[in-house]
Amino acid sequence: MAQTQTARPMDGTALARRIIETSAATAAELRLRTGKAPCLATVLVGDDPASVTYVRMKRRRCESAGIVSRHVALPATSTTQDVVDAVTALSNDPDVHGILLQHPVGPHIDERAAFEAIDPAKDVDGVTMHSFAAMSFGLPGFVSCTPGGIMRLLDEYEVDLAGKHAVVVGRSAILGKPAGMLLLGRDATVTYCHSRTADLPSIVQQADVLLAAVGKPRFIAGADIKPGAVVLDAGYNDGNVGDVDFEAAAERARLITPVPGGVGPMTIAVLLEQTVAAATLQLGAAA
Amino acid sequence: MAQTQTARPMDGTALARRIIETSAATAAELRLRTGKAPCLATVLVGDDPASVTYVRMKRRRCESAGIVSRHVALPATSTTQDVVDAVTALSNDPDVHGILLQHPVGPHIDERAAFEAIDPAKDVDGVTMHSFAAMSFGLPGFVSCTPGGIMRLLDEYEVDLAGKHAVVVGRSAILGKPAGMLLLGRDATVTYCHSRTADLPSIVQQADVLLAAVGKPRFIAGADIKPGAVVLDAGYNDGNVGDVDFEAAAERARLITPVPGGVGPMTIAVLLEQTVAAATLQLGAAA
């Protein structure tokens, strides 16, 4: 029997701060060297309050890190072609180095078509098909920000992934699927679970590394956490509640991300880091 | 306890024949309607005997199905740029509807760059990053031929995948990875295992659907097959031996693919079917 223990929290706030500080220093150095600051364009369709808040937060973080933020606000009535045109213009604009199209774009818009209008060289949010395949095949490219942030947390806490069983609960195109591919690329054995999975607890109980990415409050019971597991909670539900029952899980896990302050802050940090990396590549190529 | 039973074989030879017959009929109809036959271009770099044999077999099957076969033989000394140029020329040629670049292309060539020179609209072998992402996201596109053939076999034998645990052993870019994504798209719970997986038998034992795609003779022991499982063997090793110990596995499985005559014939059938589909789209668009 494994002894009852209290998990060490994985401090995403602190790691994100360090990544943003380093990105800010790189951005300043780039500006000195080329006379140009990295620029992230944000595209928001409509005025969904949560999306407005997210985009505002991302823009503020950019500006505080010396990244120019350019905002394109499109009305909720925009067509797919309107969004594709706006994104294509940004892809073709040499003063824009990274593009973030805030998800969701609305049910009447072909989100995939809109994402695919992003030049992969500017896909700092890691949402294009090219970026997904690059993540899956271990090729150069930008990663989806939340999965990328999760990998950074695992590295920060020196979690050895090779041969370990990583269970990903959730299979979205920007979170569960790419996270599983990144874990597979690091030699984990990877299981994808989802709403149709039969007997989820029996699979969760096998997880050396568990990623919860379903968006259902306390969906994963603490009793199902394998003693000594590493638990990553990408859920962020009403009332600052994650997808995992934190208190009960923390009694069994070795490492666990709190909500908030775990995975959440990492997403923006990776977005900023990748924007600076994109600008460095594009401005370097132009110099 | 499940009763000892003898598995029903999944007859890939018969299903492949039917798919090729249907493809031949569609090709003939297309030729009547447009005056043009579907055309598959094959590209072979060097003279590896196995690759020469595979390409010859594919070309013969094409011709017997009314698909024009155009062959490009490149010397083993070709550079990456040589191969990219040859493939790009085929991508731009309106008389070519599908392109197959025989794998492997040789260690000195950037295979990914060569694959990416294939226009996704002509990627009837399903090897481009675009095709992989399309398979992963459930979007329109061509599938990798062997994984596509496996899904056809599962459908032919009316295997219900939703909620079932599918275990994929092997994670190559053209077989294991896309097969897992297709199974996930059909609502299976999917586990990827590979050479670094710890305690492979314990995971294989959970598989309602097992796909062996490692290329090691009798790598999967019959005793590890879950009673009543569906076993797909994509291995094809020296002496007509698969990756699964067939005799022992057949005592426990419900359905199993023989080697040869299971998965193998399906690969070419899907290649031909997709070539005809590509030609139909391209000639339809041009008409």
Side-chain angles (χ1 to χ4, degrees), chain A residues 112 129-130 132-134 136-137 139 162-163 165 171 173 177 181 184 187-194 196-198 203 206, chain B residues 112 129-130 132-134 136-137 139 162-163 165 171 173 177 181 184 187-194 196-198 203 206:
Chain A
R112 180 47 53 194
M129 294 168 77
H130 184 276
F132 178 76
S136 302
F137 294 162
L139 297 170
H165 194 165
R171 53 174 165 168
K177 273 185 188 143
M181 284 291 134
L184 184 60
D187 293 332
T189 299
V190 173
T191 298
Y192 286 99
C193 299
H194 46 81
R196 301 294 299 272
T197 292
I203 296 177
Q206 300 175 41
Chain B
R112 179 47 53 194
M129 294 168 77
H130 184 277
F132 178 77
S136 302
F137 294 162
L139 298 169
H165 194 165
R171 52 171 167 172
K177 273 183 188 145
M181 284 291 132
L184 184 61
D187 294 331
T189 299
V190 173
T191 298
Y192 286 101
C193 299
H194 46 78
R196 301 295 298 273
T197 292
I203 296 177
Q206 300 175 42

Short mmCIF file of all heavy atoms in Angstrom, two decimals, chain A residues 112 129-130 132-134 136-137 139 162-163 165 171 173 177 181 184 187-194 196-198 203 206, chain B residues 112 129-130 132-134 136-137 139 162-163 165 171 173 177 181 184 187-194 196-198 203 206:
data_model
loop_
_atom_site.label_atom_id
_atom_site.label_comp_id
_atom_site.label_asym_id
_atom_site.label_seq_id
_atom_site.Cartn_x
_atom_site.Cartn_y
_atom_site.Cartn_z
N ARG A 112 -12.63 25.93 -38.59
CA ARG A 112 -11.43 25.33 -39.17
C ARG A 112 -10.93 26.17 -40.33
O ARG A 112 -9.72 26.42 -40.47
CB ARG A 112 -11.74 23.89 -39.60
CG ARG A 112 -10.62 23.12 -40.23
CD ARG A 112 -9.27 23.20 -39.51
NE ARG A 112 -9.31 22.86 -38.11
CZ ARG A 112 -8.31 23.13 -37.26
NH1 ARG A 112 -7.20 23.73 -37.67
NH2 ARG A 112 -8.42 22.80 -35.99
N MET A 129 -3.80 22.99 -38.76
CA MET A 129 -3.57 21.58 -39.04
C MET A 129 -2.07 21.32 -39.16
O MET A 129 -1.58 20.28 -38.70
CB MET A 129 -4.30 21.19 -40.34
CG MET A 129 -5.83 21.25 -40.19
SD MET A 129 -6.72 21.13 -41.77
CE MET A 129 -6.60 19.36 -42.11
N HIS A 130 -1.34 22.25 -39.75
CA HIS A 130 0.11 22.09 -39.88
C HIS A 130 0.76 21.98 -38.50
O HIS A 130 1.62 21.11 -38.27
CB HIS A 130 0.68 23.27 -40.66
CG HIS A 130 2.15 23.14 -40.91
ND1 HIS A 130 3.10 23.53 -39.99
CD2 HIS A 130 2.84 22.66 -41.96
CE1 HIS A 130 4.31 23.29 -40.47
NE2 HIS A 130 4.18 22.75 -41.67
N PHE A 132 -0.63 21.05 -35.71
CA PHE A 132 -1.01 19.79 -35.05
C PHE A 132 -0.16 18.63 -35.57
O PHE A 132 0.34 17.81 -34.78
CB PHE A 132 -2.50 19.48 -35.26
CG PHE A 132 -2.90 18.18 -34.64
CD1 PHE A 132 -3.08 18.07 -33.27
CD2 PHE A 132 -3.04 17.04 -35.42
CE1 PHE A 132 -3.40 16.86 -32.68
CE2 PHE A 132 -3.37 15.82 -34.85
CZ PHE A 132 -3.55 15.73 -33.47
N ALA A 133 -0.01 18.56 -36.89
CA ALA A 133 0.79 17.47 -37.45
C ALA A 133 2.25 17.60 -37.02
O ALA A 133 2.91 16.59 -36.73
CB ALA A 133 0.67 17.46 -38.97
N ALA A 134 2.77 18.83 -36.95
CA ALA A 134 4.15 19.02 -36.52
C ALA A 134 4.32 18.53 -35.08
O ALA A 134 5.29 17.84 -34.75
CB ALA A 134 4.55 20.49 -36.65
N SER A 136 2.55 16.26 -33.68
CA SER A 136 2.36 14.81 -33.69
C SER A 136 3.58 14.07 -34.21
O SER A 136 3.85 12.94 -33.81
CB SER A 136 1.15 14.45 -34.56
OG SER A 136 -0.01 15.10 -34.08
N PHE A 137 4.31 14.72 -35.12
CA PHE A 137 5.44 14.05 -35.76
C PHE A 137 6.78 14.50 -35.18
O PHE A 137 7.84 14.11 -35.69
CB PHE A 137 5.43 14.31 -37.28
CG PHE A 137 4.25 13.70 -38.01
CD1 PHE A 137 3.89 14.16 -39.27
CD2 PHE A 137 3.52 12.66 -37.45
CE1 PHE A 137 2.82 13.59 -39.96
CE2 PHE A 137 2.44 12.09 -38.13
CZ PHE A 137 2.09 12.56 -39.39
N LEU A 139 8.07 17.49 -35.36
CA LEU A 139 8.71 18.39 -36.32
C LEU A 139 8.71 19.82 -35.76
O LEU A 139 7.92 20.15 -34.88
CB LEU A 139 7.95 18.36 -37.65
CG LEU A 139 7.93 17.01 -38.36
CD1 LEU A 139 6.95 17.03 -39.53
CD2 LEU A 139 9.34 16.64 -38.84
N ALA A 162 9.14 8.87 -20.10
CA ALA A 162 9.40 7.68 -20.93
C ALA A 162 8.86 6.42 -20.26
O ALA A 162 9.21 6.11 -19.12
CB ALA A 162 10.89 7.55 -21.20
N GLY A 163 8.01 5.73 -21.00
CA GLY A 163 7.46 4.46 -20.51
C GLY A 163 6.33 4.61 -19.52
O GLY A 163 5.69 3.62 -19.16
N HIS A 165 2.60 5.73 -18.10
CA HIS A 165 1.26 5.72 -18.69
C HIS A 165 0.60 7.09 -18.46
O HIS A 165 0.31 7.46 -17.33
CB HIS A 165 0.41 4.61 -18.07
CG HIS A 165 -0.84 4.31 -18.84
ND1 HIS A 165 -1.59 3.18 -18.65
CD2 HIS A 165 -1.47 4.98 -19.83
CE1 HIS A 165 -2.63 3.18 -19.46
NE2 HIS A 165 -2.58 4.27 -20.20
N ARG A 171 -10.60 15.22 -25.67
CA ARG A 171 -9.96 15.02 -26.99
C ARG A 171 -10.22 16.20 -27.92
O ARG A 171 -10.41 16.03 -29.12
CB ARG A 171 -10.47 13.73 -27.63
CG ARG A 171 -11.97 13.64 -27.68
CD ARG A 171 -12.48 12.43 -28.45
NE ARG A 171 -13.89 12.22 -28.15
CZ ARG A 171 -14.68 11.39 -28.81
NH1 ARG A 171 -14.20 10.69 -29.81
NH2 ARG A 171 -15.94 11.26 -28.47
N ALA A 173 -9.43 19.52 -30.22
CA ALA A 173 -8.37 19.73 -31.21
C ALA A 173 -7.27 20.66 -30.70
O ALA A 173 -6.15 20.64 -31.22
CB ALA A 173 -8.97 20.30 -32.50
N LYS A 177 -6.16 16.41 -27.79
CA LYS A 177 -5.46 15.71 -28.88
C LYS A 177 -3.99 16.11 -28.98
O LYS A 177 -3.11 15.25 -29.00
CB LYS A 177 -6.18 15.91 -30.21
CG LYS A 177 -7.28 14.88 -30.43
CD LYS A 177 -7.93 14.99 -31.79
CE LYS A 177 -9.14 14.06 -31.86
NZ LYS A 177 -10.26 14.61 -32.61
N MET A 181 -0.42 13.87 -28.16
CA MET A 181 0.65 13.69 -29.15
C MET A 181 2.00 14.16 -28.60
O MET A 181 3.04 13.53 -28.85
CB MET A 181 0.30 14.43 -30.44
CG MET A 181 -0.76 13.72 -31.27
SD MET A 181 -0.12 12.18 -32.00
CE MET A 181 -1.48 11.07 -31.63
N LEU A 184 3.14 11.50 -26.22
CA LEU A 184 3.60 10.34 -26.98
C LEU A 184 4.99 10.59 -27.55
O LEU A 184 5.85 9.70 -27.58
CB LEU A 184 2.60 10.04 -28.10
CG LEU A 184 2.83 8.80 -28.97
CD1 LEU A 184 2.82 7.52 -28.14
CD2 LEU A 184 1.77 8.72 -30.08
N ASP A 187 7.72 9.71 -25.36
CA ASP A 187 7.81 8.27 -25.05
C ASP A 187 6.90 7.80 -23.93
O ASP A 187 7.13 6.73 -23.35
CB ASP A 187 9.26 7.85 -24.77
CG ASP A 187 10.14 7.96 -26.00
OD1 ASP A 187 9.60 7.83 -27.11
OD2 ASP A 187 11.35 8.20 -25.85
N ALA A 188 5.88 8.59 -23.60
CA ALA A 188 4.85 8.06 -22.69
C ALA A 188 3.96 7.09 -23.47
O ALA A 188 3.82 7.20 -24.69
CB ALA A 188 4.02 9.19 -22.11
N THR A 189 3.38 6.14 -22.76
CA THR A 189 2.26 5.36 -23.29
C THR A 189 1.03 6.23 -23.06
O THR A 189 0.81 6.68 -21.94
CB THR A 189 2.13 4.03 -22.51
OG1 THR A 189 3.35 3.29 -22.69
CG2 THR A 189 0.94 3.23 -22.99
N VAL A 190 0.27 6.49 -24.12
CA VAL A 190 -0.79 7.50 -24.02
C VAL A 190 -2.16 6.89 -24.26
O VAL A 190 -2.36 6.21 -25.27
CB VAL A 190 -0.55 8.65 -25.03
CG1 VAL A 190 -1.74 9.61 -25.05
CG2 VAL A 190 0.74 9.39 -24.69
N THR A 191 -3.07 7.14 -23.33
CA THR A 191 -4.47 6.74 -23.53
C THR A 191 -5.35 7.98 -23.61
O THR A 191 -5.28 8.85 -22.74
CB THR A 191 -4.96 5.83 -22.38
OG1 THR A 191 -4.17 4.65 -22.36
CG2 THR A 191 -6.43 5.46 -22.56
N TYR A 192 -6.15 8.04 -24.66
CA TYR A 192 -7.16 9.09 -24.81
C TYR A 192 -8.50 8.58 -24.31
O TYR A 192 -9.04 7.61 -24.84
CB TYR A 192 -7.35 9.46 -26.28
CG TYR A 192 -6.26 10.26 -26.91
CD1 TYR A 192 -5.28 9.66 -27.70
CD2 TYR A 192 -6.22 11.65 -26.77
CE1 TYR A 192 -4.29 10.41 -28.33
CE2 TYR A 192 -5.23 12.41 -27.38
CZ TYR A 192 -4.27 11.78 -28.16
OH TYR A 192 -3.30 12.53 -28.77
N CYS A 193 -9.07 9.27 -23.30
CA CYS A 193 -10.41 8.98 -22.82
C CYS A 193 -11.32 10.15 -23.15
O CYS A 193 -10.85 11.26 -23.40
CB CYS A 193 -10.41 8.77 -21.31
SG CYS A 193 -9.39 7.39 -20.78
N HIS A 194 -12.62 9.92 -23.11
CA HIS A 194 -13.57 10.96 -23.49
C HIS A 194 -14.96 10.56 -23.02
O HIS A 194 -15.12 9.56 -22.30
CB HIS A 194 -13.52 11.19 -25.00
CG HIS A 194 -13.52 9.91 -25.77
ND1 HIS A 194 -14.67 9.21 -26.02
CD2 HIS A 194 -12.50 9.17 -26.28
CE1 HIS A 194 -14.36 8.11 -26.68
NE2 HIS A 194 -13.04 8.04 -26.85
N ARG A 196 -17.35 9.07 -24.28
CA ARG A 196 -17.86 7.75 -24.61
C ARG A 196 -17.07 6.62 -23.98
O ARG A 196 -17.39 5.43 -24.19
CB ARG A 196 -17.87 7.57 -26.15
CG ARG A 196 -18.69 8.59 -26.91
CD ARG A 196 -20.19 8.47 -26.60
NE ARG A 196 -20.74 7.18 -26.97
CZ ARG A 196 -21.22 6.89 -28.18
NH1 ARG A 196 -21.24 7.80 -29.12
NH2 ARG A 196 -21.70 5.70 -28.44
N THR A 197 -16.02 6.95 -23.26
CA THR A 197 -15.19 5.91 -22.65
C THR A 197 -15.99 5.08 -21.64
O THR A 197 -16.66 5.66 -20.78
CB THR A 197 -13.98 6.56 -21.95
OG1 THR A 197 -13.14 7.12 -22.95
CG2 THR A 197 -13.19 5.55 -21.13
N ALA A 198 -15.89 3.77 -21.77
CA ALA A 198 -16.54 2.88 -20.81
C ALA A 198 -15.60 2.72 -19.62
O ALA A 198 -14.41 2.53 -19.79
CB ALA A 198 -16.83 1.53 -21.47
N ILE A 203 -9.45 3.29 -15.99
CA ILE A 203 -8.31 3.78 -16.79
C ILE A 203 -7.60 4.89 -16.04
O ILE A 203 -6.36 4.92 -15.99
CB ILE A 203 -8.79 4.22 -18.19
CG1 ILE A 203 -9.33 2.99 -18.93
CG2 ILE A 203 -7.65 4.86 -18.97
CD1 ILE A 203 -9.89 3.26 -20.29
N GLN A 206 -4.96 3.88 -13.68
CA GLN A 206 -3.67 3.40 -14.20
C GLN A 206 -2.71 4.54 -14.51
O GLN A 206 -1.57 4.30 -14.88
CB GLN A 206 -3.89 2.62 -15.50
CG GLN A 206 -4.78 1.41 -15.36
CD GLN A 206 -5.05 0.76 -16.71
OE1 GLN A 206 -4.15 0.63 -17.54
NE2 GLN A 206 -6.29 0.37 -16.94
N ARG B 112 10.13 13.89 -45.03
CA ARG B 112 8.98 14.76 -44.74
C ARG B 112 8.86 15.85 -45.81
O ARG B 112 7.77 16.15 -46.29
CB ARG B 112 9.13 15.34 -43.33
CG ARG B 112 8.03 16.28 -42.88
CD ARG B 112 6.61 15.80 -43.13
NE ARG B 112 6.31 14.49 -42.63
CZ ARG B 112 5.23 13.80 -43.00
NH1 ARG B 112 4.34 14.30 -43.85
NH2 ARG B 112 5.02 12.59 -42.52
N MET B 129 1.12 16.05 -43.91
CA MET B 129 0.71 16.59 -42.62
C MET B 129 -0.76 16.99 -42.67
O MET B 129 -1.50 16.79 -41.70
CB MET B 129 1.60 17.78 -42.25
CG MET B 129 3.05 17.38 -42.00
SD MET B 129 4.19 18.79 -41.92
CE MET B 129 3.85 19.40 -40.26
N HIS B 130 -1.18 17.54 -43.80
CA HIS B 130 -2.58 17.94 -43.95
C HIS B 130 -3.50 16.73 -43.81
O HIS B 130 -4.52 16.79 -43.10
CB HIS B 130 -2.78 18.62 -45.30
CG HIS B 130 -4.17 19.14 -45.50
ND1 HIS B 130 -5.20 18.34 -45.93
CD2 HIS B 130 -4.70 20.36 -45.30
CE1 HIS B 130 -6.31 19.06 -46.00
NE2 HIS B 130 -6.04 20.29 -45.61
N PHE B 132 -2.88 13.93 -42.29
CA PHE B 132 -2.85 13.42 -40.91
C PHE B 132 -3.78 14.24 -40.01
O PHE B 132 -4.56 13.69 -39.22
CB PHE B 132 -1.43 13.42 -40.34
CG PHE B 132 -1.39 12.96 -38.92
CD1 PHE B 132 -1.50 11.60 -38.61
CD2 PHE B 132 -1.31 13.86 -37.87
CE1 PHE B 132 -1.51 11.16 -37.29
CE2 PHE B 132 -1.32 13.43 -36.55
CZ PHE B 132 -1.42 12.08 -36.26
N ALA B 133 -3.68 15.57 -40.13
CA ALA B 133 -4.53 16.42 -39.29
C ALA B 133 -6.00 16.24 -39.65
O ALA B 133 -6.87 16.23 -38.78
CB ALA B 133 -4.11 17.89 -39.44
N ALA B 134 -6.29 16.07 -40.95
CA ALA B 134 -7.68 15.85 -41.35
C ALA B 134 -8.21 14.56 -40.74
O ALA B 134 -9.33 14.52 -40.22
CB ALA B 134 -7.79 15.81 -42.88
N SER B 136 -7.18 13.25 -38.02
CA SER B 136 -7.24 13.45 -36.57
C SER B 136 -8.45 14.27 -36.16
O SER B 136 -8.98 14.12 -35.06
CB SER B 136 -5.97 14.14 -36.09
OG SER B 136 -4.83 13.39 -36.44
N PHE B 137 -8.85 15.21 -37.03
CA PHE B 137 -9.93 16.13 -36.69
C PHE B 137 -11.26 15.72 -37.32
O PHE B 137 -12.25 16.45 -37.20
CB PHE B 137 -9.57 17.55 -37.13
CG PHE B 137 -8.39 18.15 -36.39
CD1 PHE B 137 -7.72 19.24 -36.91
CD2 PHE B 137 -7.97 17.64 -35.17
CE1 PHE B 137 -6.64 19.81 -36.23
CE2 PHE B 137 -6.89 18.19 -34.48
CZ PHE B 137 -6.22 19.28 -35.02
N LEU B 139 -11.96 15.64 -40.51
CA LEU B 139 -12.24 16.53 -41.64
C LEU B 139 -12.10 15.77 -42.95
O LEU B 139 -11.47 14.72 -43.00
CB LEU B 139 -11.25 17.70 -41.62
CG LEU B 139 -11.33 18.60 -40.38
CD1 LEU B 139 -10.15 19.56 -40.33
CD2 LEU B 139 -12.65 19.37 -40.38
N ALA B 162 -17.55 2.37 -30.49
CA ALA B 162 -17.83 3.41 -29.49
C ALA B 162 -17.66 2.87 -28.07
O ALA B 162 -18.28 1.87 -27.70
CB ALA B 162 -19.24 3.96 -29.70
N GLY B 163 -16.81 3.53 -27.31
CA GLY B 163 -16.61 3.16 -25.92
C GLY B 163 -15.68 1.99 -25.70
O GLY B 163 -15.31 1.68 -24.58
N HIS B 165 -12.17 -0.21 -25.87
CA HIS B 165 -10.76 0.13 -25.67
C HIS B 165 -9.94 -0.42 -26.83
O HIS B 165 -9.81 -1.64 -26.98
CB HIS B 165 -10.27 -0.44 -24.35
CG HIS B 165 -8.96 0.14 -23.89
ND1 HIS B 165 -8.47 0.00 -22.63
CD2 HIS B 165 -8.04 0.90 -24.55
CE1 HIS B 165 -7.30 0.62 -22.53
NE2 HIS B 165 -7.02 1.17 -23.68
N ARG B 171 3.72 3.36 -33.40
CA ARG B 171 3.35 4.79 -33.49
C ARG B 171 3.98 5.47 -34.69
O ARG B 171 4.39 6.63 -34.64
CB ARG B 171 3.73 5.51 -32.21
CG ARG B 171 5.18 5.29 -31.81
CD ARG B 171 5.62 6.17 -30.65
NE ARG B 171 6.89 5.68 -30.15
CZ ARG B 171 7.63 6.31 -29.24
NH1 ARG B 171 7.24 7.46 -28.76
NH2 ARG B 171 8.77 5.79 -28.84
N ALA B 173 4.25 7.30 -38.37
CA ALA B 173 3.47 8.42 -38.91
C ALA B 173 2.47 7.96 -39.96
O ALA B 173 1.48 8.66 -40.21
CB ALA B 173 4.40 9.47 -39.51
N LYS B 177 0.08 6.00 -35.71
CA LYS B 177 -0.51 7.29 -35.30
C LYS B 177 -1.84 7.57 -36.00
O LYS B 177 -2.83 7.87 -35.33
CB LYS B 177 0.49 8.43 -35.51
CG LYS B 177 1.40 8.63 -34.31
CD LYS B 177 2.34 9.82 -34.47
CE LYS B 177 3.34 9.83 -33.32
NZ LYS B 177 4.66 10.30 -33.72
N MET B 181 -5.84 7.75 -34.42
CA MET B 181 -6.71 8.93 -34.58
C MET B 181 -8.03 8.55 -35.23
O MET B 181 -9.09 9.07 -34.87
CB MET B 181 -5.98 10.00 -35.39
CG MET B 181 -4.92 10.74 -34.59
SD MET B 181 -5.64 11.80 -33.29
CE MET B 181 -4.62 11.33 -31.90
N LEU B 184 -10.07 6.86 -32.59
CA LEU B 184 -10.57 7.86 -31.64
C LEU B 184 -11.75 8.62 -32.24
O LEU B 184 -12.72 8.93 -31.54
CB LEU B 184 -9.42 8.82 -31.29
CG LEU B 184 -9.70 9.89 -30.23
CD1 LEU B 184 -10.06 9.27 -28.89
CD2 LEU B 184 -8.47 10.81 -30.08
N ASP B 187 -14.98 7.10 -31.65
CA ASP B 187 -15.37 7.04 -30.24
C ASP B 187 -14.81 5.87 -29.46
O ASP B 187 -15.32 5.53 -28.38
CB ASP B 187 -16.90 7.08 -30.07
CG ASP B 187 -17.48 8.41 -30.52
OD1 ASP B 187 -16.76 9.42 -30.42
OD2 ASP B 187 -18.62 8.45 -30.97
N ALA B 188 -13.74 5.25 -29.98
CA ALA B 188 -13.03 4.28 -29.15
C ALA B 188 -12.18 5.02 -28.12
O ALA B 188 -11.77 6.17 -28.36
CB ALA B 188 -12.14 3.38 -30.01
N THR B 189 -11.93 4.40 -27.00
CA THR B 189 -10.88 4.85 -26.08
C THR B 189 -9.58 4.28 -26.64
O THR B 189 -9.51 3.08 -26.90
CB THR B 189 -11.14 4.28 -24.67
OG1 THR B 189 -12.40 4.78 -24.21
CG2 THR B 189 -10.03 4.65 -23.71
N VAL B 190 -8.59 5.12 -26.89
CA VAL B 190 -7.42 4.68 -27.64
C VAL B 190 -6.15 4.77 -26.80
O VAL B 190 -5.86 5.82 -26.23
CB VAL B 190 -7.25 5.52 -28.92
CG1 VAL B 190 -5.93 5.18 -29.63
CG2 VAL B 190 -8.43 5.30 -29.87
N THR B 191 -5.41 3.67 -26.75
CA THR B 191 -4.09 3.68 -26.10
C THR B 191 -3.02 3.41 -27.14
O THR B 191 -3.11 2.44 -27.90
CB THR B 191 -4.02 2.62 -24.99
OG1 THR B 191 -4.98 2.92 -23.98
CG2 THR B 191 -2.62 2.61 -24.35
N TYR B 192 -2.02 4.29 -27.18
CA TYR B 192 -0.83 4.10 -28.02
C TYR B 192 0.28 3.46 -27.18
O TYR B 192 0.72 4.04 -26.19
CB TYR B 192 -0.30 5.43 -28.51
CG TYR B 192 -1.09 6.10 -29.60
CD1 TYR B 192 -1.96 7.15 -29.32
CD2 TYR B 192 -0.93 5.73 -30.93
CE1 TYR B 192 -2.66 7.79 -30.33
CE2 TYR B 192 -1.63 6.37 -31.95
CZ TYR B 192 -2.49 7.40 -31.64
OH TYR B 192 -3.16 8.04 -32.63
N CYS B 193 0.73 2.27 -27.61
CA CYS B 193 1.89 1.62 -27.00
C CYS B 193 3.03 1.58 -28.02
O CYS B 193 2.81 1.73 -29.22
CB CYS B 193 1.54 0.18 -26.62
SG CYS B 193 0.21 0.05 -25.42
N HIS B 194 4.23 1.38 -27.52
CA HIS B 194 5.41 1.41 -28.39
C HIS B 194 6.58 0.78 -27.67
O HIS B 194 6.42 0.20 -26.58
CB HIS B 194 5.69 2.86 -28.80
CG HIS B 194 5.63 3.81 -27.66
ND1 HIS B 194 6.66 3.93 -26.75
CD2 HIS B 194 4.63 4.63 -27.21
CE1 HIS B 194 6.32 4.81 -25.83
NE2 HIS B 194 5.07 5.25 -26.07
N ARG B 196 8.88 1.82 -25.88
CA ARG B 196 9.23 2.27 -24.53
C ARG B 196 8.13 1.98 -23.51
O ARG B 196 8.29 2.30 -22.33
CB ARG B 196 9.50 3.79 -24.56
CG ARG B 196 10.62 4.21 -25.49
CD ARG B 196 11.96 3.67 -25.04
NE ARG B 196 12.36 4.15 -23.73
CZ ARG B 196 13.03 5.29 -23.53
NH1 ARG B 196 13.39 6.03 -24.54
NH2 ARG B 196 13.34 5.67 -22.30
N THR B 197 7.03 1.40 -23.97
CA THR B 197 5.93 1.12 -23.05
C THR B 197 6.35 0.12 -21.97
O THR B 197 6.93 -0.92 -22.28
CB THR B 197 4.73 0.55 -23.84
OG1 THR B 197 4.21 1.59 -24.66
CG2 THR B 197 3.62 0.03 -22.92
N ALA B 198 6.05 0.48 -20.72
CA ALA B 198 6.34 -0.44 -19.61
C ALA B 198 5.16 -1.41 -19.48
O ALA B 198 4.01 -1.00 -19.58
CB ALA B 198 6.52 0.36 -18.32
N ILE B 203 -1.39 -3.95 -20.83
CA ILE B 203 -2.24 -3.07 -21.63
C ILE B 203 -2.90 -3.84 -22.76
O ILE B 203 -4.09 -3.68 -23.02
CB ILE B 203 -1.42 -1.86 -22.13
CG1 ILE B 203 -0.97 -1.03 -20.91
CG2 ILE B 203 -2.25 -1.00 -23.10
CD1 ILE B 203 -0.10 0.14 -21.23
N GLN B 206 -6.10 -5.54 -22.02
CA GLN B 206 -7.31 -4.73 -21.87
C GLN B 206 -7.99 -4.45 -23.21
O GLN B 206 -9.06 -3.83 -23.25
CB GLN B 206 -6.97 -3.38 -21.23
CG GLN B 206 -6.35 -3.47 -19.86
CD GLN B 206 -5.93 -2.10 -19.35
OE1 GLN B 206 -6.65 -1.12 -19.50
NE2 GLN B 206 -4.76 -2.03 -18.74
#
